[in-house]
Amino acid sequence: MSGTQERPLRADAARNRAKLLDAATEVFTTRGVGVPTEEIARAAGVGVGTLFRHFPTKEALLEAVMVRRLETIAAGTAELAAGAEPAEAFFGCFRLIVEQSAGKNEFAQALAAAGIDVHSSLRASSAVIRTRLAELLDRAQRAGAVRADLALPELIALLIGTGATLEQLGPDPAAHGRVLDVVFTGLRPH
Amino acid sequence: MSGTQERPLRADAARNRAKLLDAATEVFTTRGVGVPTEEIARAAGVGVGTLFRHFPTKEALLEAVMVRRLETIAAGTAELAAGAEPAEAFFGCFRLIVEQSAGKNEFAQALAAAGIDVHSSLRASSAVIRTRLAELLDRAQRAGAVRADLALPELIALLIGTGATLEQLGPDPAAHGRVLDVVFTGLRPH
DNA sequence: CTGGAAACGGACCAGCGACTCCGGTAAAGA
DNA sequence: TCTTTACCGGAGTCGCTGGTCCGTTTCCAG
């Protein structure tokens, strides 16, 4: 039931929808969630009317952007998690998520504040990631690559916090490396 | 020149000013920076007019709250830094700042976004803390208690990021302890 | 006690930003 | 090509929030 009735979008409509998502992603990450919707429409080269037809509310647009990001992350971790040994998989995914998350926390917060809490479409994507993280953590702990007393909530909090740390630092690869090294060292047993 | 001309405030004025600061601190931290000024006035039991007489702008109120917090932190670190040995002082201050910072990052961001950047009164307080951190870091590194390749910017970023981590976790002392242990372990040499 | 200055408070104003509406435009099938 | 109709665009609406104004209240010096 209920898979949204997919009547194929008209050519220009699909194009505009994509342009809107791209523009929103760009603008939200660089200038924050506070930017007026009109700016996003302009950045996408369409009118506000078009924006609101595709996304009935600003929050919905935010959500769509988030979902897309989470899916990207999920895909990335799937790839990394598949082949590698436990330790490599775990730390690789940690790095990937943290890097992909730059500037994303702000929307997550905005979303949480706006709706009662995160919407169902987000739940789906985030559940995938959550499950994968649980697996990665478990495997890495069994392999002795990660301290045994760490639970999933702490791991997730650390991912978010480390993202905030790197965001705070600005784009300085050397400093990023040192910070990640600090965290990774702390994550290993004893 | 320009120490603000301190004509002693009338009794009720001083009382209301204090009530406003307290209410603002409370409301901003628990419900975010987005709350209408009127809510803050109501929480303080005064009218908006009074609020805006004491703080000519919402941003100014935010700033006053921040300054007060920074001063609290500065005082706390001064105490801790004075007596203890380098390692203890460093990690003690780290913990103190992180705990005091819960929910504070959001305003810092809001402030930075609002004004061109942080106002002069904030500069003063934050410079004190920055200097103290530099000293603590240096002492701890000389004593071999903290890895030598860590610079001040990374330390500050880590403070903010760790604050975000704990905030994300909610109030769970055990989990807080584990997270701090991860970070502290990572900060020590090798 | 009392006069006047300082402070209060909340009705009011203005600007902004999310969302709507409808005349115009162009995709796609006959 | 022509008609139908989904889709576009941006001017306009409406609620919300930061900030002002001024009649009323409170403090306190003489």
Side-chain angles (χ1 to χ4, degrees):
Chain A
M1 62 217 46
S2 77
T4 322
Q5 196 61 10
E6 289 276 315
R7 201 179 4 134
L9 237 40
R10 220 172 73 175
D12 53 350
R15 211 179 318 128
N16 279 340
R17 192 191 160 84
K19 281 198 292 185
L20 276 167
L21 264 179
D22 288 343
T25 305
E26 165 71 13
V27 172
F28 279 148
T29 35
T30 58
R31 305 190 28 209
V33 186
V35 295
T37 45
E38 194 191 330
E39 298 259 316
I40 291 155
R42 196 179 315 147
V46 305
V48 278
T50 304
L51 191 157
F52 280 104
R53 196 164 328 101
H54 283 292
F55 307 96
T57 206
K58 189 182 185 180
E59 191 193 336
L61 175 58
L62 230 55
E63 192 182 308
V65 171
M66 283 283 291
V67 168
R68 212 218 219 164
R69 281 219 176 187
L70 287 180
E71 278 167 0
T72 305
I73 289 179
T77 57
E79 206 170 316
L80 270 177
E85 55 174 338
E88 207 177 318
F90 178 85
F91 289 110
C93 285
F94 195 108
R95 174 177 264 120
L96 178 84
I97 293 180
V98 164
E99 277 163 2
Q100 288 288 333
S101 299
K104 204 198 60 186
N105 304 329
E106 201 194 345
F107 336 168
Q109 249 172 278
L111 260 186
I116 299 84
D117 70 342
V118 166
H119 249 330
S120 54
S121 46
L122 270 183
R123 276 205 191 288
S125 312
S126 66
V128 170
I129 292 181
R130 191 183 184 84
T131 306
R132 175 148 306 126
L133 281 175
E135 272 173 35
L136 283 165
L137 177 61
D138 187 58
R139 277 212 293 152
Q141 283 176 327
R142 282 180 202 280
V146 168
R147 46 192 291 169
D149 64 346
L150 200 81
L152 190 55
E154 287 110 87
L155 173 59
I156 292 174
L158 271 169
L159 283 165
I160 292 173
T162 309
T165 307
L166 295 194
E167 202 177 340
Q168 173 68 22
L169 268 177
D172 174 347
H176 283 208
R178 261 166 286 161
V179 165
L180 281 178
D181 193 55
V182 165
V183 177
F184 286 0
T185 302
L187 283 172
R188 279 188 265 270
H190 201 139
Chain B
M1 61 208 52
S2 77
T4 321
Q5 196 62 10
E6 290 276 315
R7 205 187 353 145
L9 237 39
R10 221 172 71 175
D12 52 351
R15 211 178 320 128
N16 279 339
R17 191 191 161 84
K19 281 198 289 183
L20 276 167
L21 264 178
D22 287 345
T25 305
E26 165 72 11
V27 172
F28 281 149
T29 35
T30 57
R31 304 193 23 212
V33 186
V35 295
T37 44
E38 194 191 330
E39 297 262 314
I40 290 154
R42 194 180 316 147
V46 306
V48 279
T50 304
L51 190 158
F52 281 104
R53 196 168 325 100
H54 284 291
F55 307 96
T57 205
K58 187 181 186 180
E59 191 192 337
L61 175 57
L62 230 54
E63 192 182 310
V65 171
M66 282 284 290
V67 167
R68 212 218 218 163
R69 280 220 178 185
L70 287 179
E71 277 167 0
T72 305
I73 289 180
T77 57
E79 206 170 314
L80 271 176
E85 55 174 337
E88 206 177 319
F90 178 85
F91 290 108
C93 286
F94 195 108
R95 173 176 264 120
L96 178 83
I97 292 180
V98 164
E99 277 163 3
Q100 287 287 332
S101 298
K104 202 198 60 184
N105 304 327
E106 201 195 345
F107 335 167
Q109 249 171 279
L111 259 186
I116 299 82
D117 70 344
V118 165
H119 249 335
S120 53
S121 46
L122 270 184
R123 274 203 193 291
S125 312
S126 65
V128 170
I129 292 180
R130 191 185 184 83
T131 306
R132 176 148 307 127
L133 281 174
E135 272 174 36
L136 283 165
L137 177 61
D138 187 58
R139 278 212 293 152
Q141 283 176 328
R142 282 179 201 281
V146 169
R147 46 192 293 169
D149 64 346
L150 200 81
L152 189 56
E154 286 110 86
L155 173 59
I156 292 174
L158 272 169
L159 283 165
I160 293 172
T162 309
T165 307
L166 295 194
E167 203 176 340
Q168 174 69 21
L169 269 177
D172 174 348
H176 282 209
R178 260 166 286 159
V179 165
L180 281 178
D181 193 56
V182 166
V183 176
F184 286 0
T185 304
L187 282 172
R188 280 188 264 272
H190 200 142

